[in-house]
Amino acid sequence: MAKKILITGGAGFIGSNYAYRRILNGDDVTIYDDLSRNGAKENLKWVSSKTHGQSFGFIEGDVRDYELLMSVVKGKDVIIHLAAQVAVTSSVVNPQFDFSVNAAGTFNVLEAARAYGEKPLVIYASTNKVYGGIEDIQVVEEETRYSFRDFPAGVSENQLLDFHSPYGCSKGCGDQYVRDYSRIYDIPTVVFRQSCIYGKRQFGIEDQGWVAWFVIAAVMHKPITIYGDGKQVRDLLFIDDLMNAYDLVVERKERVKGLIFNVGGGIENSVSIWQEFGPILEKIHGKEISVDFEEWRPGDQKIYISDISKAKKYLGWSPKISVEQGLSSLYQWVADNKELFA
């Protein structure tokens, strides 16, 4: 059955991809975005051009505008809440703006959903940054990467929350509000603590979206700086795999409402950000890539890997696309669209 879906931040990287998927599925999709992010206008044009006449709604709006949100949320079956200030560095420079978008903006979405009493499903894109520096977990240094000494499957949802940085605080605030609105108001919500998501339509910059940024820099012959020793580990999840997880939540709302999931590539799709990632990118690029190394940035985790066993259990979900497959797809998209990055 077709659903009425609202995607906040729907012109962003994840939002535009998911809007396109659900429009082709026959759903009634509304994209809500203030178009302030780099690439948002291009993504909106792309959705419009690729949906072959199938209509979707677009509202240029900010999640800080509660009255506008109220009018948009009415009648929706599903809300995918992606709108956010996404860079840790930006949150440190302007924490007030970061809070107003991420914490207050998420609260506005929830209140708008509650106001109409129709109890739409709310999926919230949280972040692994809610776990902070995870200093209580022992880390071992190996030849090309860091690893967890006692957590071979990665960090589970049982890890204590520790909101480092204004960004971690604001996203964590939203994370907990979304969870509590399910408990207190019986609104079906699901929190995805997302790890390193990458893929086509991602206009990465040095401060956010590092996988896409490294690919863009390689294709466009721009300098790449590695902060630290390049052994820092992240688990990478290709956009299509993330969207599969969103679809499963929509299908299994009654089974998973009120739950929180760590959603990332897991141990099988974990790589160190240059010592292991670099050779994969160089293989796809066809030649060596020169990089500069600088001092570690404050608060940078030596390792983060999502334990995705809970998502496997409740959603029957697991990543299908390997790092090399996903990276090849992203590389080809950047190479085919150089004019977007000139």
Side-chain angles (χ1 to χ4, degrees):
M1 178 184 292
K3 297 187 180 298
K4 294 181 178 179
I5 299 176
L6 170 66
I7 306 177
T8 70
F13 156 50
I14 296 173
S16 61
N17 276 285
Y18 198 58
Y20 174 53
R21 173 183 285 211
R22 298 304 302 212
I23 292 165
L24 292 190
N25 188 57
D27 295 308
D28 179 353
V29 175
T30 299
I31 292 174
Y32 185 95
D33 201 296
D34 68 0
L35 301 180
S36 63
R37 288 288 305 281
N38 180 41
K41 292 179 181 178
E42 292 295 333
N43 284 340
L44 191 63
K45 290 178 186 176
W46 171 77
V47 173
S48 182
S49 68
K50 294 290 286 185
T51 48
H52 307 298
Q54 291 171 273
S55 63
F56 66 93
F58 169 66
I59 296 174
E60 185 170 352
D62 192 309
V63 289
R64 293 174 295 173
D65 187 340
Y66 178 63
E67 295 302 322
L68 181 57
L69 268 177
M70 285 275 286
S71 66
V72 176
V73 163
K74 187 175 182 180
K76 298 300 186 289
D77 303 309
V78 179
I79 301 170
I80 312 293
H81 180 39
L82 305 173
Q85 189 297 114
V86 294
V88 172
T89 49
S90 297
S91 79
V92 173
V93 173
N94 193 344
Q96 194 279 333
F97 175 76
D98 177 82
F99 178 87
S100 68
V101 174
N102 292 351
T106 298
F107 179 78
N108 286 343
V109 170
L110 290 168
E111 273 294 274
R114 183 174 75 93
Y116 285 108
E118 297 167 355
K119 298 184 178 178
L121 169 66
V122 178
I123 300 176
Y124 174 63
S126 185
T127 170
N128 62 55
K129 294 297 190 292
V130 300
Y131 298 122
I134 51 177
E135 288 93 347
D136 58 322
I137 298 180
Q138 292 295 312
V139 173
V140 177
E141 183 176 358
E142 300 177 354
E143 184 177 354
T144 62
R145 63 159 53 200
Y146 294 99
S147 64
F148 291 130
R149 188 187 70 183
D150 302 317
F151 293 86
V155 175
S156 79
E157 295 83 357
N158 294 324
Q159 176 67 23
L160 293 176
L161 300 180
D162 189 9
F163 302 159
H164 284 205
S165 79
Y167 173 76
C169 290
S170 65
K171 290 296 289 185
C173 178
D175 179 306
Q176 292 299 285
Y177 260 108
V178 171
R179 183 186 190 196
D180 205 51
Y181 265 57
S182 182
R183 291 187 293 210
I184 300 299
Y185 300 113
D186 196 33
I187 295 173
T189 69
V190 172
V191 173
F192 272 9
R193 290 176 181 159
Q194 296 173 183
S195 194
C196 188
I197 314 301
Y198 71 103
K200 293 179 284 187
R201 315 298 320 167
Q202 187 175 26
F203 292 80
I205 58 175
E206 186 177 62
D207 288 343
Q208 198 276 327
W210 68 269
V211 173
W213 166 243
F214 284 1
V215 173
I216 293 165
V219 172
M220 302 302 294
H221 308 290
K222 297 180 179 181
I224 295 175
T225 301
I226 307 297
Y227 296 92
D229 55 17
K231 292 184 180 182
Q232 305 99 298
V233 172
R234 302 293 183 266
D235 61 323
L236 311 189
L237 185 67
F238 192 65
I239 181 65
D240 290 15
D241 282 324
L242 176 67
M243 293 192 297
N244 290 340
Y246 285 177
D247 284 348
L248 287 165
V249 168
V250 174
E251 293 169 12
R252 304 184 181 192
K253 177 180 75 172
E254 291 305 315
R255 173 172 168 77
V256 299
K257 62 183 180 181
L259 297 183
I260 292 174
F261 296 102
N262 285 349
V263 178
I267 191 71
E268 293 181 356
N269 294 292
S270 65
V271 293
S272 60
I273 68 168
W274 193 252
Q275 304 300 340
E276 296 172 355
F277 181 88
I280 299 173
L281 181 56
E282 288 177 334
K283 177 183 175 182
I284 296 168
H285 187 54
K287 55 185 175 182
E288 186 176 347
I289 299 170
S290 177
V291 299
D292 295 319
F293 285 84
E294 297 288 348
E295 293 297 316
W296 288 80
R297 291 187 289 196
D300 193 12
Q301 299 164 325
K302 287 188 174 180
I303 175 172
Y304 181 83
I305 299 173
S306 305
D307 180 345
I308 56 177
S309 57
K310 185 176 178 181
K312 288 180 180 179
K313 175 182 177 182
Y314 284 91
L315 295 172
W317 171 88
S318 61
K320 305 298 182 187
I321 300 170
S322 70
V323 171
E324 187 162 347
Q325 289 173 322
L327 198 57
S328 295
S329 176
L330 173 57
Y331 185 96
Q332 190 61 54
W333 175 72
V334 173
D336 290 342
N337 293 276
K338 290 182 181 179
E339 70 279 2
L340 298 178
F341 306 100

